[in-house]
Every structure is written in structure tokens, then in C-alpha cells.
Amino acid sequence: MSRKLEVILILVGMAAHIVLYLSDFSYNMIDANYPEQSNELGRGINVILIVVSVTIINVIVGAVSLLLFRKNKRPKAASAILLIFAMITTILTYGSSFLANIFYLIAGVMGVVRGSKTHKTPL
């Protein structure tokens, strides 16, 4: 069974994570340059660190699941990884990466539903 659609969805999800990272990073850098209080600067740095770490983890998870989907090696494991990390990172980023995680969720659900071909051996 061809897994082209899942691979494309994972690639789009990885690209969306990077684009969201760049847009959020630039927004926070502009906001951090003009702090009204020292607490806001510290909060901005913490947000940037969370966004950077979540983005890096998501891209790595996307690459691992991409390798597992290619040539139909382990589609169930890749689907489970995608579903778990999409939900965890959506919670960690307070929903700001939901748009990017939707591609991981769709690819994970498709991988679970489509399953893999099993050949029945005659007795």
C-alpha cells in the first residue's frame, strides 16, 4: 500500500511547524526588544525557548515517522508517534501550534485506519 499521502501530510506539517516557529519567533523578538518591565522580558525569553524546543522536537518526530512510513516499514508505530506528539505539543504550546499539528493528526489517523496489508498464508 502506498503511503504517499501520509508522507506529504508529514512534510506539510513539518513545514508548517517551521513557518509558525519563524513567525512566532520574530513576533516575540520584536516584543522582547521593547520590554515595559523586566518580568515581560523574562517571560518572552521563556516563550521563545518553549517554541524553539517544541519546533525542534516536532521536526525530529516528523522525520522519524516519515522514515517509518516510507516503504511501509512500521505504519502503526509511526501513526502512534504522530498522534501522541501532535496532542502533547498542542497542549504545551497552548494551542498555538494546532494548525501545524492538524497535519500530523490527519496523517496519524490515516495510518491507523488504512493499516498495512497482511498476507494470509494458506494452511
Side-chain angles (χ1 to χ4, degrees):
M1 179 177 296
S2 178
R3 299 286 182 176
K4 287 182 183 177
L5 188 57
E6 285 95 338
V7 169
I8 290 171
L9 284 170
I10 292 170
L11 289 173
V12 170
M14 290 169 66
H17 275 289
I18 292 171
V19 167
L20 283 175
Y21 158 71
L22 292 175
S23 65
D24 195 34
F25 184 73
S26 63
Y27 174 75
N28 283 324
M29 286 305 290
I30 291 170
D31 208 24
N33 284 336
Y34 303 105
E36 294 175 10
Q37 296 176 353
S38 62
N39 284 344
E40 289 185 16
L41 180 63
R43 190 173 359 156
I45 292 172
N46 286 338
V47 169
I48 289 172
L49 288 176
I50 290 171
V51 169
V52 167
S53 61
V54 167
T55 301
I56 290 171
I57 290 170
N58 269 330
V59 170
I60 291 171
V61 166
V64 167
S65 61
L66 185 74
L67 292 175
L68 291 175
F69 266 128
R70 290 190 58 102
K71 297 183 182 175
N72 213 10
K73 289 182 184 174
R74 301 198 57 186
K76 297 282 185 181
S79 299
I81 290 170
L82 286 173
L83 290 171
I84 290 169
F85 273 93
M87 289 184 277
I88 288 173
T89 55
T90 300
I91 293 169
L92 282 178
T93 59
Y94 302 110
S96 66
S97 66
F98 179 72
L99 183 64
N101 285 330
I102 213 75
F103 295 110
Y104 282 1
L105 284 171
I106 293 171
V109 169
M110 286 181 66
V112 169
V113 171
R114 288 173 68 178
S116 60
K117 284 186 177 180
T118 57
H119 298 287
K120 295 182 180 179
T121 57
L123 296 175

